[in-house]
Amino acid sequence: MSTSPRLRSLNIDNINPHVKKAEYAVRGELAMRAEKYRAKLAKGYPPSPPEETLPFDKVISANIGNPQQLDQKPITFFRQVLSILEYPQLLENESALKDSFGYKSDVIDRARWLLNDVKSVGAYSQSQGGLGIRTSIAKFIEARDGYAADPAQIFLSAGASSGVNTLMHIICARPETGVLVPIPQYPLYTATLSLLNARCVPYYLNEERAWGTDLGAIRSALEKAKREGTDVRAIVVINPGNPTGASLPAEDIRSVLEFAQQENLVVLADEVYQTNIFTGKFTSFKKALRDLQNTVPDKYDTVELASLHSISKGMVGECGHRGGYFELVGFDPEVAAQIYKFVSISLCAPVVGQCLVEMMVNPPREGDPSYALYREEYDGIFNGLQKRATALYDAFSKMEGVHCQYPQGSMYLFPTITLPASAIRQASKENRSPDEFYASRLLDATGVCVVPGSGFGQREGTLHFRTTFLAPGTEWVGRIRTFHEGFMDEFRG
């Protein structure tokens, strides 16, 4: 028998190269360093010698839209229902639930209804999701858009990310397949395309038009990709925007759908921030498409649209429960059958997440026992987000070399930063992009973790960073302003 050590089967040179190529800046190097700082602070503050003292006493994870990590409170109705779903024996003593724990009758009724649909949250559901849950989603879509929705065309997913993964697997048939992706974009899309060995076809959003879509830029990107031999099959639109926070006007949405019809493209509408609207009104791609179909009969009947939604954002913020859905419109039934087969391979979406989706789309209504508290909590979260977004925007507007669009929606701002030449030279010496250098210095000085704009894509010669406005209070906004003043003074000469 050999006594020499056994060599590992896997090494960095023989694993899947597409995994190595994929990048996901939201949880990249800066996020990992922020977690190290958080762990260090958790040991006790101030630290005992010889540990180095940090210049802050709290890490602010403004790099990711993770509401409850940043102290957003769960909606009471949702969690009370979940408690019964997780432990149905609680229903054996309804009086205790009501008298001792304050559960309202509609909480108990909803839990019974959901248990009747899924039987147990510890059991697999139908691969597509519970029928009663999908029916509730269809009713929500119809109430939102004024057009009917079919539960048979709705698929529950483990968050919108899982839905994107499913759809991309169906679309990306070969290495030459391309998907039009907005820049700046949420890196889920480029990372997924890398994993599938398919091609990202970037189209730039128009910062001067509040990060709106630019049909000329989309068309130019498509034509360039075709010249390079790319088979462009789909276009992604994120509305409201991530990372930009933009809310698209109805005319932009209509233009994208008209373009998709002309070029025979599938439309992937990422609408997970649809309740985070501060200015204007949310228009879904589904409504815009149905409006077009009514206006011009037959022309748009074969436009393929997949719309995605999630419990992770909005006022729900239940990221960790992994719940979402996507709706198919205009897809060939044989293709839809293959989508069903694909999701069946993973058996089903998390059933607790499915139940939360049902509550998100079917919350307490006016007159229900739980409505007053639900409304108070929902409005409190919304108003808090809007207040912090405005405070952050106001701070950026006073910072030298920083320009930011007024917050319209989602939970992010994406300011442009203009840095001194000496800061750019120092970034080069440290083998970092200038925006990464700035974000790294910001984290080390303040504990505030943001994401460099290069992680989302940006026009050459421009610099940005993305920050959430989820963290409670506004003290941390002052930290950013103070740091920025010192940074600019340091590198001004």
Side-chain angles (χ1 to χ4, degrees):
M1 175 182 284
S2 172
T3 58
S4 59
R6 183 176 183 273
L7 296 178
R8 294 185 177 93
S9 173
L10 294 178
N11 61 63
I12 195 64
D13 295 319
N14 68 11
I15 64 171
N16 187 333
H18 309 306
V19 174
K20 292 192 290 183
K21 182 181 176 184
E23 295 183 358
Y24 192 70
V26 172
R27 289 183 180 261
E29 180 216 336
L30 297 185
M32 289 187 288
R33 194 194 313 164
E35 289 307 313
K36 289 180 180 178
Y37 288 157
R38 194 190 308 278
K40 186 173 184 178
L41 291 170
K43 292 179 181 179
Y45 190 84
S48 302
E51 288 189 349
E52 182 181 351
T53 300
L54 294 172
F56 47 85
D57 60 4
K58 185 178 183 181
V59 171
I60 301 293
S61 297
N63 60 303
I64 190 166
N66 194 10
Q68 292 186 24
Q69 183 195 47
L70 294 168
D71 295 338
Q72 180 172 309
K73 302 304 181 201
I75 298 291
T76 298
F77 177 83
F78 296 170
R79 288 302 183 91
Q80 288 180 335
V81 172
L82 286 190
S83 70
I84 299 174
L85 298 179
E86 291 282 11
Y87 192 63
Q89 287 90 329
L90 291 172
L91 291 171
E92 295 173 5
N93 194 344
E94 286 190 27
S95 60
L97 289 176
K98 294 177 179 177
D99 300 336
S100 299
F101 298 101
Y103 284 38
K104 305 294 187 183
S105 59
D106 55 344
V107 170
I108 295 169
D109 291 344
R110 183 66 61 87
R112 288 189 186 279
W113 184 87
L114 284 165
L115 285 169
N116 184 64
D117 188 46
V118 303
K119 308 309 177 188
S120 169
V121 294
Y124 294 131
S125 73
Q126 299 175 39
S127 293
Q128 200 169 337
L131 177 58
I133 295 170
R134 288 186 282 121
T135 300
S136 289
I137 295 169
K139 290 177 180 177
F140 159 78
I141 294 170
E142 181 172 357
R144 182 194 65 192
D145 297 338
Y147 295 103
D150 181 358
Q153 300 302 313
I154 294 168
F155 292 74
L156 275 297
S157 57
S161 300
S162 174
V164 169
N165 183 63
T166 295
L167 294 163
M168 288 293 197
H169 267 85
I170 298 299
I171 291 167
C172 297
R174 54 198 180 100
E176 293 78 21
T177 300
V179 176
L180 283 155
V181 175
I183 301 296
Q185 54 92 38
Y186 179 47
L188 165 69
Y189 293 96
T190 47
T192 304
L193 288 167
S194 291
L195 291 172
L196 293 172
N197 193 27
R199 298 178 184 178
C200 173
V201 180
Y203 68 90
Y204 286 96
L205 301 175
N206 190 332
E207 187 168 6
E208 287 69 37
R209 287 186 56 242
W211 295 111
T213 55
D214 183 334
L215 198 57
I218 297 173
R219 192 173 298 281
S220 295
L222 175 66
E223 291 171 354
K224 178 176 181 293
K226 286 181 175 179
R227 290 195 300 270
E228 294 170 350
T230 300
D231 177 21
V232 183
R233 305 287 298 282
I235 180 170
V236 173
V237 185
I238 307 173
N239 181 46
N242 177 9
T244 64
S247 178
L248 294 180
E251 54 268 25
D252 280 21
I253 295 169
R254 185 168 56 250
S255 294
V256 169
L257 289 167
E258 290 170 344
F259 177 77
Q261 187 275 331
Q262 294 165 10
E263 301 295 340
N264 198 27
L265 299 174
V266 177
V267 179
L268 302 181
D270 182 334
E271 298 176 332
V272 302
Y273 298 100
Q274 61 186 260
T275 57
N276 292 95
I277 297 286
F278 303 139
T279 60
K281 179 184 177 182
F282 172 75
T283 300
S284 74
F285 270 78
K286 167 78 174 292
K287 173 175 170 49
L289 177 58
R290 292 299 193 222
D291 286 347
L292 279 171
Q293 290 170 338
N294 278 347
T295 304
V296 188
D298 302 327
K299 182 176 181 179
Y300 296 95
D301 287 355
T302 57
V303 171
E304 296 146 289
L305 168 67
S307 303
L308 300 112
H309 197 9
S310 168
I311 62 172
S312 297
K313 312 303 178 184
M315 275 40 76
V316 182
E318 293 281 3
C319 306
H321 277 115
R322 310 309 300 135
Y325 73 83
F326 60 90
E327 181 193 17
L328 303 179
V329 176
F331 277 67
D332 185 304
E334 291 185 335
V335 173
Q338 295 302 308
I339 293 173
Y340 181 88
K341 179 177 73 176
F342 184 89
V343 300
S344 297
I345 293 170
S346 298
L347 299 174
C348 69
V351 177
V352 168
Q354 292 187 41
C355 293
L356 275 164
V357 170
E358 198 282 331
M359 289 183 272
M360 174 184 73
V361 301
N362 183 26
R365 309 290 178 183
E366 191 168 4
D368 291 345
S370 294
Y371 178 77
L373 179 58
Y374 168 79
R375 189 79 259 167
E376 177 186 339
E377 292 173 335
Y378 187 100
D379 291 347
I381 294 169
F382 181 89
N383 293 334
L385 288 171
Q386 187 169 27
K387 179 181 178 181
R388 292 192 295 277
T390 303
L392 200 54
Y393 168 79
D394 289 342
F396 289 153
S397 68
K398 296 179 176 70
M399 288 163 53
E400 177 186 358
V402 176
H403 175 73
C404 186
Q405 298 289 341
Y406 189 80
Q408 300 178 60
S410 78
M411 49 184 63
Y412 311 103
L413 293 180
F414 196 66
T416 300
I417 52 174
T418 302
L419 301 181
S422 57
I424 295 173
R425 288 193 297 270
Q426 184 60 36
S428 180
K429 290 178 183 178
E430 297 185 16
N431 199 29
R432 292 182 181 275
S433 64
D435 51 357
E436 184 186 6
F437 173 69
Y438 178 90
S440 178
R441 283 289 198 96
L442 173 66
L443 173 61
D444 291 343
T446 68
V448 178
C449 184
V450 300
V451 187
S454 50
F456 302 95
Q458 54 196 349
R459 285 190 184 276
E460 187 175 350
T462 67
L463 302 171
H464 303 79
F465 65 85
R466 188 194 78 169
T467 176
T468 73
F469 38 81
L470 290 167
T474 56
E475 174 273 334
W476 60 280
V477 178
R479 289 196 223 174
I480 297 175
R481 283 190 65 182
T482 301
F483 161 79
H484 185 79
E485 290 172 4
F487 182 93
M488 298 299 282
D489 288 342
E490 178 182 353
F491 291 103
R492 197 183 311 280

